[in-house]
Amino acid sequence: MARFRGGRPYNPVDEARAMVGAGDASPTGRYLESIGVRPTPRATCPFDPGYDPVTVESHLQQSGHLMGTLKISMACWMVAEEGATRRKIEAAHRAGVPTVAGGGPFETAVAQRALPAYLDLCAEVGLTRIECGEGFTDMSLAPADIVRQAGERGLEVEFELGEKHSGRFSDDETDELIATGRSWLESGAVRLVVEARESAQDVGLFTAPGQFDPGQADRIATAFGLDTVLFEAPNKASQFALIDHFGPEVQLGNVRLEEVLRVEIYRRGLHSDAFGNEKLRPRAPVEDQA
């Protein structure tokens, strides 16, 4: 279904991946360009765990231009006062940030045989996208049927790879996840999310925060491409490890709103721990390149 902003069609996914820093005419933007900081995609996708609207609006004002999407996380939005939830979603839309309903409410809706009603609710409150998954329930519905029902309501779909309580990925599990991911993408899902929960410890790719299996991560990234995969990275160690490995283009999710700027200076090589990484550090001054 076509989407419109200002009377013109637009694609939220393309918009979310726009390069940040390219052609920035502000004094700060001109300075960053002059010292060789590279433009980067909008690849940090934070989550709202239930903050008040003023807090979310303030973070969007400060960092919305850096965000790929904003997850309205867990089921907190479903028990909050609805006007507050709508206010946060509308603030994200004004900032050009697509909003995503976290996967937990989807799984509950499917288990309770209430998926159509859940999709109606997501569309009614103004969400852009839903996250689907089998993190703690089993699902019998076909991906194509779910994507179709969501699309009929103007909703996009992404799918989360991995279970919340099954530990780290083995080779066989990664094979299965890749097959599952392909099925969802072929059915019309716009993105895949790699599970890491809120700890990035003994789950998915991670053995401990910052210690992950690069072989399994590379298999997933190679199968789908960094434009299509979002890696959950809920803490500093996991965020820095994934950026060090993949470079500044990697999409990171489950980032706390107050950590967005720290992630973004790391992507740009402006963090002391990133400056020595050739993938990240600013380009050499012009006179040194001659």
Side-chain angles (χ1 to χ4, degrees):
M1 178 178 294
R3 294 178 179 272
F4 295 86
R5 175 168 291 141
R8 295 175 298 177
Y10 83 105
N11 185 323
V13 177
D14 291 343
E15 179 173 315
R17 300 292 289 162
M19 299 299 282
V20 178
D24 186 347
S26 70
T28 303
R30 292 197 303 271
Y31 171 73
L32 292 176
E33 183 179 6
S34 75
I35 64 170
V37 173
R38 300 171 175 85
T40 61
R42 295 173 67 169
T44 298
C45 302
F47 76 105
D48 162 35
Y51 290 137
D52 61 277
V54 173
T55 297
V56 174
E57 289 170 339
S58 296
H59 280 290
L60 285 163
Q61 180 183 19
Q62 174 175 263
S63 309
H65 64 293
L66 304 170
M67 299 179 189
T69 56
L70 173 64
K71 180 187 285 189
I72 309 299
S73 194
M74 300 180 285
C76 297
W77 66 272
M78 305 181 88
V79 298
E81 197 280 320
E82 187 174 305
T85 297
R86 288 177 180 267
R87 180 175 162 184
K88 291 189 284 189
I89 292 170
E90 290 167 1
H93 288 180
R94 288 195 303 271
V97 180
T99 51
V100 185
F106 166 83
E107 294 197 50
T108 300
V110 171
Q112 298 302 109
R113 300 181 182 179
L115 179 61
Y118 171 68
L119 296 175
D120 288 341
L121 176 62
C122 290
E124 171 62 28
V125 299
L127 289 159
T128 309
R129 185 184 305 174
I130 62 165
E131 180 182 285
C132 305
E134 297 180 273
F136 59 91
T137 61
D138 294 324
M139 182 172 57
S140 60
L141 299 175
D145 186 39
I146 295 169
V147 173
R148 177 188 58 78
Q149 292 188 56
E152 290 172 350
R153 295 161 172 82
L155 296 167
E156 300 170 348
V157 171
E158 62 184 39
F159 183 78
E160 184 173 64
L161 300 171
E163 298 179 6
K164 296 185 181 300
H165 306 293
S166 63
R168 291 164 284 169
F169 296 158
S170 67
D171 288 341
D172 289 343
E173 287 169 335
T174 299
D175 288 339
E176 294 178 6
L177 294 176
I178 289 172
T180 299
R182 286 177 175 151
S183 175
W184 278 88
L185 292 176
E186 290 168 359
S187 298
V190 298
R191 185 168 67 181
L192 301 173
V193 180
V194 180
E195 173 71 73
R197 300 205 70 190
E198 297 178 46
S199 64
Q201 184 167 349
D202 198 30
V203 61
L205 300 171
F206 291 91
T207 56
Q211 299 177 17
F212 76 108
D213 186 335
Q216 307 292 7
D218 285 340
R219 290 184 63 199
I220 293 171
T222 299
F224 303 115
L226 291 179
D227 281 344
T228 305
V229 177
L230 179 146
F231 294 93
E232 290 188 345
N235 50 42
K236 176 181 176 180
S238 57
Q239 293 154 10
F240 287 11
L242 286 163
I243 295 172
D244 281 340
H245 183 70
F246 286 115
E249 296 82 12
V250 64
Q251 295 188 76
L252 301 183
N254 275 22
V255 176
R256 299 186 68 85
L257 281 166
E258 59 268 30
E259 295 176 355
V260 170
L261 293 180
R262 184 183 67 197
V263 169
E264 291 302 310
I265 64 171
Y266 199 86
R267 288 187 193 277
R268 291 159 173 77
L270 295 172
H271 190 287
S272 60
D273 293 343
F275 193 78
N277 186 334
E278 289 297 327
K279 294 179 182 177
L280 307 176
R281 69 179 298 160
R283 301 182 183 94
V286 174
E287 58 269 21
D288 292 349
Q289 296 176 4

